[in-house]
């Protein structure tokens, strides 16, 4: 008679004890305990053996030019303790605008061992360089960016701090691992930043690695350093699963590991070269599980705050309490001395002509959606639904964004393929290409994936399974083609008969009123759609406003020059910024007004935009105005944002509510008038 495996015997015993069938998670846990008995006591050992560091005030570092606020002195103490503990680093998750850059520089200043690597979004590396020069002395800094960056490893080791971007990190890692074509052959090139053992590796805006399967995340995982730090005011934006990459980067054992349920195999990597058997033990992928998924992600996704989900949330809190420090502006208001921030939702109504156009578009969209519902094919047509939603959002901004879009005007295939996002049909400022060779703006396709009701959505163009590296370097465009595309929607309008929109006129009204109250007050205007910013710029210039623009195609040096122009010229009062290009890592405290022209599914993006001005160094009261058109899809998006805010608050605080992706019920809600 065949012998019953021990884990099957344990399953039978537990099933009889509970009087019900076991869940997949329970079966997996039993299998893991059989061959990895150390996992039985992980959470108890973590609570008992790894104390939560209680922040205390460290003394002001001598010679450091910035005076640390009390909570920043506490974080300096906390960071020193974390580096001496089991994690050798951690997550500094203070709310945006509380000076995480200064806090990290204080740590580097008090322990000047080198070299140190800082990886940041492109828009932020010049700000890091400026902050280092302003607040420290004696640091040699290398800006490792652009085609002329140094390749000599020994040269890089000489610097105290090396600054680079996520795009460069990804490119260097990809060329090292996969290689690139040169004269018909595949050539691999060693990545200098992966060949150095760094003293500290610091990921600024660390949520850039939230998708574990991208080359950027893998490139970050493979960096070698003694201490590792993640800086992010929004470590969690959409789903609890996004925290995995941060845990993995920090090297959390066993939380970031994959375990085999049939043997003692354990690995940080998903290693199935032939896609059939593990490279180490030979067992199938089905018999391997990620400990994070089993203990945290899957129970929360399936149960929310009930039963196993509630237990998983408690485990997550135990883990985060020991590796993350988060303070909010409200909690440390006395230390910060920040002026108040007021968020105002301005609600306007369509004109008769706009409403007629919108209702026509909405009727067509609703009829198409109802067809999918009746046929039971909502999930199969997610890409089409997303396109319908995007067009309704654009119509609420200005009808020309739909009527005069590239989608509706014949143009050459070369320009469309090279520069136009196939989701929003707008100029792709930060263009990346899927494996099926379709071009998207990075922010648009990220939003598309995050909002998906499917686990892995289809390509919105060819409807094959979408495979795209969200952190791949931007497509380099021919300058002449880029110039033609950059003329954008203004080149397709008859300026003699062009009419503004309700939303643009609402903005002009707000800015004109502000101009009469105080002509020196500066404002930031954010939109997701570049063509919409073009229309806004045209209208504001006709109204006599001096403006400047921040665009995704700018180099770090050009962005820095544009920001300084806005900050240093009193007559330039309006800064038009694409949410795709400048929603994070900017310090624009000369402004005290933010206007959000269109709502995103992800509320964290909007708060990041608001916090470009509500941060240390701001002395004026801050007003953030969200412009929403009533009786349109926008008012419903605002309501859905509240659900995501609840999920973020649940994980980063002690609240007990959560949500994941948009559900079919959410889509139905959006298509109700």
């Amino acid at each position: 008679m065949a012998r019953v495996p021990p884990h099957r015997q344990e399953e039978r015993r537990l099933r009889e004890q509970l009087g019900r069938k076991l869940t997949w998670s329970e079966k997996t846990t039993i299998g893991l305990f059989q061959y990895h008995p150390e996992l039985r006591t992980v959470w108890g050992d973590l609570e008992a053996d790894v104390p939560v560091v209680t922040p205390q005030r460290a003394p002001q570092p001598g010679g450091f030019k910035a005076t640390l606020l009390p909570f920043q002195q506490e974080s300096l103490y906390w960071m020193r303790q974390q580096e001496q503990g089991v994690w050798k680093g951690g997550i500094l998750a203070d709310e945006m605008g509380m000076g995480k850059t200064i806090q990290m520089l204080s740590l580097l200043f008090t322990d000047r061992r080198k070299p140190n690597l800082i990886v940041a979004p492109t828009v932020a590396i010049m700000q890091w360089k400026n902050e280092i020069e302003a607040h420290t002395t004696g640091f040699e800094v290398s800006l490792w960016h652009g085609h002329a960056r140094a390749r000599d490893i020994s040269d890089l080791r000489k610097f105290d701090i090396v600054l680079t971007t996520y795009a460069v990190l990804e490119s260097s890692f990809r060329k090292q691992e996969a290689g690139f074509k040169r004269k018909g052959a595949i050539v691999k090139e060693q990545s200098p930043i992966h060949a150095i053992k760094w003293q500290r590796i610091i990921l600024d805006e660390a949520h850039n690695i939230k998708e574990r399967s991208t080359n950027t995340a893998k490139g970050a995982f493979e960096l070698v350093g003694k201490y590792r730090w993640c800086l992010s005011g929004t470590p969690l934006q959409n789903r609890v699963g996004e925290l995995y990459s941060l845990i993995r980067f920090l090297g959390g054992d066993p939380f970031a590991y994959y375990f085999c349920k049939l043997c003692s195999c354990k690995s940080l990597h998903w290693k199935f070269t032939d896609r059939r058997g593990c490279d180490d033990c030979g067992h199938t992928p089905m018999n391997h599980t990620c400990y994070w998924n089993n203990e945290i992600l899957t129970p929360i996704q399936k149960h929310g705050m009930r039963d196993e989900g509630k237990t998983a949330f408690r485990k997550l809190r135990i883990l985060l309490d020991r590796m993350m420090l988060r303070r909010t502006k409200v909690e440390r208001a006395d230390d910060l001395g920040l002026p108040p921030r007021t968020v105002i939702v301005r609600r306007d109504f369509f004109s008769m002509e706009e409403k007629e156009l919108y209702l026509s578009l909405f009727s067509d969209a609703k009829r198409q959606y109802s067809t999918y519902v009746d046929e039971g094919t909502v999930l199969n047509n997610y890409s089409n639904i997303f396109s319908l939603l995007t067009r309704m959002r654009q119509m609420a901004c200005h009808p020309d964004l739909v009527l005069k879009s590239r989608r509706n005007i014949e143009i050459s295939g070369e320009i469309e393929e090279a520069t136009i996002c196939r989701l929003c049909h707008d100029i792709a400022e930060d263009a990346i290409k899927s494996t099926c060779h379709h071009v998207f703006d990075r922010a648009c396709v990220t939003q598309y994936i995050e909002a998906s009701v499917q686990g892995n959505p289809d390509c919105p163009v060819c409807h094959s399974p979408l495979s795209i590296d969200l952190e791949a370097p931007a497509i380099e465009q021919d300058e002449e083609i880029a110039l033609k595309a950059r003329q954008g929607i203004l080149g397709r309008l008859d300026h003699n008969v062009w009419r503004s929109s309700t939303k643009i006129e609402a903005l002009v009204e707000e800015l004109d009123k502000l101009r009469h109250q105080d002509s020196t007050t500066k404002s930031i205007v954010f939109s997701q759609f570049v063509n919409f910013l073009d229309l806004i710029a045209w209208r504001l210039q006709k109204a006599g406003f001096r403006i400047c623009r921040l665009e995704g195609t700018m180099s770090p040096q050009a962005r820095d020059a544009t920001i300084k122009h806005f900050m240093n010229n009193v007559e330039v009062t309006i800064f038009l910024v694409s949410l795709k290009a400048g929603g994070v890592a900017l310090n624009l405290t000369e402004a005290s007004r933010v206007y959000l022209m269109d709502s995103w599914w992800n509320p964290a993006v909007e708060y990041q935009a608001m916090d470009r001005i509500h941060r240390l160094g701001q002395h004026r009261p801050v007003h953030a105005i969200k412009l929403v058109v009533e009786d349109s899809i926008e008012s419903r998006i605002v309501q859905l944002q509240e659900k995501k805010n609840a999920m973020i608050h649940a994980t980063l605080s002690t609240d007990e509510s959560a949500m994941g992706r948009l559900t079919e019920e959410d889509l139905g809600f959006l298509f109700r008038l």
Side-chain angles (χ1 to χ4, degrees):
M1 183 176 178
R3 179 174 174 271
V4 179
H7 68 281
R8 297 298 183 200
Q9 297 178 26
E10 179 68 15
E11 285 180 16
R12 182 184 300 170
R13 185 194 62 77
L14 184 59
R15 186 170 62 248
E16 292 173 352
Q17 179 182 328
L18 296 175
R20 60 170 174 79
K21 291 183 177 180
L22 302 184
T23 64
W24 176 262
S25 178
E26 288 170 334
K27 291 180 180 179
T28 298
T29 300
I30 291 172
L32 290 178
F33 286 174
Q34 176 65 33
Y35 295 100
H36 308 276
E38 72 277 9
L39 297 180
R40 290 182 180 272
T41 59
V42 163
W43 299 103
D45 292 344
L46 183 62
E47 276 194 286
D49 300 337
V50 182
V52 177
V53 176
T54 303
Q56 303 174 24
R57 286 194 194 179
Q60 169 74 25
F64 192 63
K65 296 179 184 179
T67 301
L68 297 180
L69 297 173
F71 78 91
Q72 293 175 328
Q73 292 176 297
E74 292 175 5
S75 60
L76 177 56
Y77 171 87
W78 179 81
M79 288 188 288
R80 288 172 175 169
Q81 295 299 309
Q82 286 291 117
E83 289 191 342
Q84 295 173 20
V86 297
W87 307 115
K88 303 298 180 186
I91 305 170
L92 182 59
D94 284 348
E95 197 173 6
M96 293 163 289
M98 294 179 68
K100 291 186 288 294
T101 301
I102 294 295
Q103 294 173 60
M104 186 53 62
L105 286 180
S106 71
L107 178 65
L108 293 171
F109 190 81
T110 55
D111 178 8
R112 300 181 71 105
R113 286 175 289 175
K114 63 181 185 180
N116 300 282
L117 178 67
I118 299 174
V119 186
T122 304
V123 73
I125 58 173
M126 290 304 297
Q127 182 181 328
W128 269 96
K129 188 173 185 294
N130 295 338
E131 295 279 357
I132 293 168
E133 292 172 353
H135 302 301
T136 67
T137 54
F139 276 135
E140 288 190 64
V141 180
S142 172
L143 199 63
W144 203 66
H145 184 269
H147 296 295
R149 57 184 180 267
R151 300 289 176 183
D152 193 315
I153 296 170
S154 59
D155 283 347
L156 279 179
R157 286 198 181 101
K158 296 175 183 176
F159 290 97
D160 295 282
I161 298 173
V162 175
L163 290 168
T164 193
T165 68
Y166 286 101
V168 172
L169 169 68
E170 187 279 334
S171 175
S172 300
F173 177 73
R174 175 167 39 83
K175 289 179 179 178
Q176 174 177 282
E177 298 300 312
F180 57 96
K181 284 187 177 181
R182 178 182 289 170
K183 296 181 180 179
I186 298 296
V187 178
K188 293 188 177 182
E189 181 178 278
Q190 183 184 33
S191 168
I193 56 174
H194 288 89
I196 296 173
K197 182 172 183 180
W198 304 95
Q199 181 67 18
R200 289 183 181 84
I201 304 168
I202 300 160
L203 301 186
D204 187 25
E205 304 293 351
H207 48 268
N208 279 276
I209 67 165
K210 64 185 179 184
E211 298 294 341
R212 66 176 81 175
S213 61
T214 64
N215 271 336
T216 302
K218 293 175 182 177
F221 299 157
E222 293 303 314
L223 291 168
V224 180
K226 186 174 182 181
Y227 305 117
R228 293 171 175 255
W229 288 100
C230 295
L231 310 185
S232 177
T234 54
L236 177 66
Q237 295 191 345
N238 291 282
R239 309 182 292 281
V240 171
E242 294 170 354
L243 285 170
Y244 170 83
S245 285
L246 305 191
I247 305 298
R248 168 69 177 84
F249 171 74
L250 296 174
D253 185 0
F255 314 103
Y257 280 76
Y258 293 92
F259 293 87
C260 181
K261 294 179 284 186
L262 299 181
C263 70
S264 60
C265 174
K266 168 185 175 182
S267 174
L268 263 174
H269 304 277
W270 183 255
K271 298 187 295 186
F272 292 86
T273 304
D274 62 2
R275 299 187 179 184
R276 295 182 179 181
C278 172
D279 293 356
D280 292 334
C281 70
H283 291 126
T284 65
M286 285 293 291
N287 286 309
H288 287 74
T289 187
C290 175
Y291 191 69
W292 170 269
N293 291 354
N294 189 65
E295 293 288 299
I296 304 294
L297 180 59
T298 302
I300 290 175
Q301 284 181 333
K302 289 187 175 180
H303 303 283
M305 278 306 302
R306 302 184 305 274
D307 306 324
E308 293 179 46
K310 188 172 184 179
T311 301
F313 255 113
R314 187 162 57 246
K315 291 176 179 177
L316 181 58
R317 288 303 325 166
I318 292 171
L319 182 60
L320 292 182
D321 285 346
R322 285 155 177 79
M323 61 174 19
M324 183 176 79
L325 179 64
R326 178 173 176 84
R327 284 80 54 88
T328 66
K329 292 172 182 173
V330 172
E331 292 170 357
R332 307 314 293 260
D334 292 341
D335 291 351
L336 286 164
L338 280 177
R341 179 183 69 185
T342 305
V343 180
I344 301 165
V345 179
R346 170 169 173 153
R347 302 179 185 275
D348 290 276
F349 290 88
F350 283 126
S351 67
M352 290 299 294
E353 183 181 2
E354 287 173 326
K355 189 169 184 68
E356 184 177 341
L357 288 169
Y358 181 84
L359 287 177
S360 175
L361 178 65
F362 177 79
S363 297
D364 290 343
K366 186 175 182 179
R367 183 163 50 251
Q368 185 63 64
Y369 178 74
S370 297
T371 300
Y372 296 146
V373 172
D374 294 342
E375 295 174 351
T377 59
V378 170
L379 296 183
N380 296 334
N381 287 283
Y382 170 70
S383 58
N384 295 331
I385 293 169
F386 188 87
S387 179
L388 295 173
L389 294 174
T390 299
R391 292 178 69 201
M392 286 192 289
R393 292 174 62 211
Q394 291 173 323
M395 183 67 82
C397 293
H398 195 294
D400 283 344
L401 298 182
V402 176
L403 303 178
K404 302 291 185 181
S405 70
R406 297 276 185 176
R407 178 187 183 124
N408 293 332
I409 294 180
E410 292 184 5
I411 61 171
S412 69
E414 178 184 32
I415 294 178
E416 168 133 5
E417 182 66 17
T419 61
I420 303 303
C421 171
R422 300 300 295 272
L423 274 166
C424 68
H425 306 286
D426 199 350
I427 296 164
E429 289 187 290
D430 190 9
I432 54 177
K433 186 180 287 189
S434 65
T435 54
C436 50
H437 305 294
H438 294 115
V439 174
F440 305 96
D441 187 281
R442 191 188 312 273
C444 282
V445 74
T446 300
Q447 185 182 23
Y448 172 72
I449 293 170
E450 288 175 348
S452 172
V453 293
Q454 300 169 283
N456 295 299
D458 292 341
C459 170
V461 182
C462 66
H463 306 293
S464 60
L466 180 61
S467 176
I468 188 167
D469 187 345
L470 295 175
E471 303 301 335
I475 297 170
E476 294 185 6
Q477 301 172 13
D478 178 87
E479 286 189 14
E480 185 178 349
I481 293 175
L483 180 61
K484 289 179 182 177
R486 195 60 212 102
Q487 294 172 353
I489 195 169
L490 294 178
R492 305 194 290 274
L493 300 177
D494 184 344
H495 296 177
N496 294 320
V497 298
W498 180 78
R499 297 180 63 177
S500 185
S501 68
T502 295
K503 187 173 284 192
I504 291 179
E505 290 309 302
L507 174 66
V508 173
E509 181 184 319
E510 290 284 339
L511 291 172
D512 196 52
K513 182 169 60 177
L514 182 61
R515 178 166 58 180
H516 284 91
Q517 291 174 350
D518 183 354
S519 61
T520 64
T521 300
K522 290 178 180 277
S523 303
I524 317 293
V525 178
F526 283 104
S527 173
Q528 174 186 352
F529 305 114
V530 184
N531 277 335
F532 191 33
L533 288 177
D534 287 338
L535 297 179
I536 292 169
W538 168 258
R539 179 65 180 91
L540 291 181
Q541 286 171 325
K542 286 184 65 177
F545 291 98
R546 291 285 299 275
I547 69 173
C548 61
R549 296 275 297 265
L550 181 68
E551 300 178 0
T553 54
M554 290 178 172
S555 68
Q557 291 78 7
R559 294 183 188 212
D560 191 48
T562 301
I563 292 166
K564 287 179 178 176
H565 178 74
F566 173 72
M567 300 284 274
N568 298 331
N569 289 277
V570 67
E571 71 277 7
V572 180
T573 57
I574 300 171
F575 200 6
L576 302 182
V577 182
S578 164
L579 267 175
K580 305 169 186 177
V584 299
L586 287 178
N587 187 340
L588 299 170
T589 51
E590 283 295 309
S592 57
R593 295 289 189 279
V594 167
Y595 295 91
L596 297 165
M597 299 301 293
D598 39 78
S599 298
W600 276 51
W601 312 110
N602 183 354
V605 175
E606 292 186 358
Y607 282 105
Q608 286 175 332
M610 295 176 196
D611 284 315
R612 298 313 99 209
I613 66 173
H614 193 239
R615 59 199 306 115
L616 288 172
Q618 180 60 264
H619 304 293
R620 296 184 178 191
V622 168
H623 294 270
I625 298 93
K626 296 177 62 172
L627 283 78
V628 174
V629 176
E630 285 290 272
D631 295 334
S632 77
I633 191 173
E634 289 189 328
S635 56
R636 296 196 175 272
I637 289 174
V638 169
Q639 295 177 55
L640 282 183
Q641 285 178 342
E642 296 174 1
K643 293 178 66 178
K644 283 186 178 284
N645 276 328
M647 181 273 297
I648 294 168
H649 187 62
T651 306
L652 301 183
S653 70
T654 56
D655 191 13
E656 295 192 347
S657 57
M659 70 83 64
R661 298 172 182 263
L662 293 178
T663 64
E664 288 191 60
E665 289 74 19
D666 293 335
L667 292 174
F669 173 74
L670 289 173
F671 278 97
R672 292 203 308 270
L673 186 63

